[in-house]
Amino acid sequence: MSQSTRLGLLGRKVGMMRLFTDDGDAVPVTVVDVSNNRVSQVKTQDNDGYVALQVTFGSRRASRVTKPQAGHLAKAGVQAGEIVQEFRVTADTAAKYAAGATVPVSDVFAVGQKVDVQGTSIGKGFAGTIKRHNFSSQRASHGNSRSHNVPGSISMAQDPGRVFPGKKMTGHMGDETVT
């Protein structure tokens, strides 16, 4: 698995809107606030064994941060943030930033560049097979008794004598990291 060596930004989803193209087509866009990304630590090859930038985003009251975390942020001269994330970068990129510096959007993104956004999906709790795996329902008429929204058969007869692992069944849906 190759490790990406690019600097990223942390942010919070603000909302959705739409932009209109010259043809009049509406394009849905997500608005993400990525302002005030601060470098809380610059990790170097000789000091830490690898090169990375530790970035924090948002604001958090000083009383809501653990003592070790508060000391770590105070050393960098950075206000406490909600999220702290590390980005592996090249030594050249790491040399551009010092602890306490803000990361401007123009340094990370170019106009028209495609980006990967990662976040947590909305939790939907315990969901049935139809909703969770997009299965189709059974007939709603003609003698179907109380099994309209059930998955149907889940296994074979006596030969395997079990349900195979990974079978798509009911369970917890959502609340997972999505890119």
Side-chain angles (χ1 to χ4, degrees):
M1 186 172 118
S2 67
Q3 185 91 24
S4 175
T5 56
R6 291 202 48 162
L7 178 59
L9 290 177
L10 305 171
R12 170 187 279 118
K13 179 176 174 178
V14 177
M16 299 281 294
M17 63 184 284
R18 58 185 177 169
L19 298 176
F20 291 97
T21 62
D22 295 334
D23 302 336
D25 296 329
V27 179
V29 293
T30 305
V31 181
V32 181
D33 174 25
V34 291
S35 62
N36 203 12
N37 274 264
R38 308 171 298 281
V39 177
S40 54
Q41 186 181 8
V42 179
K43 301 210 171 193
T44 58
Q45 186 69 42
D46 16 310
N47 221 14
D48 305 287
Y50 63 101
V51 182
L53 285 176
Q54 193 182 75
V55 179
T56 185
F57 167 78
S59 60
R60 181 180 254 181
R61 291 203 313 269
S63 63
R64 292 278 170 224
V65 181
T66 63
K67 292 266 175 115
Q69 185 78 2
H72 175 69
L73 294 168
K75 180 181 173 186
V78 172
Q79 177 198 358
E82 304 163 44
I83 316 166
V84 176
Q85 184 77 42
E86 215 171 82
F87 295 101
R88 291 260 185 137
V89 293
T90 60
D92 302 336
T93 309
K96 293 180 192 172
Y97 299 98
T102 58
V103 182
V105 178
S106 59
D107 283 9
V108 182
F109 300 125
V111 176
Q113 175 187 354
K114 298 211 186 261
V115 296
D116 282 342
V117 179
Q118 197 174 47
T120 307
S121 65
I122 296 171
K124 292 173 174 63
F126 191 92
T129 51
I130 309 291
K131 180 174 182 174
R132 188 178 184 205
H133 299 293
N134 300 315
F135 288 170
S136 53
S137 305
Q138 295 179 24
R139 297 196 307 188
S141 61
H142 290 293
N144 193 337
S145 175
R146 297 184 355 224
S147 58
H148 310 290
N149 251 26
V150 294
S153 173
I154 61 165
S155 184
M156 277 68 78
Q158 189 177 347
D159 186 21
R162 62 195 174 95
V163 177
F164 290 129
K167 177 70 182 164
K168 292 181 176 177
M169 295 177 75
T170 58
H172 186 272
M173 182 181 178
D175 189 35
E176 54 193 4
T177 304
V178 179
T179 303

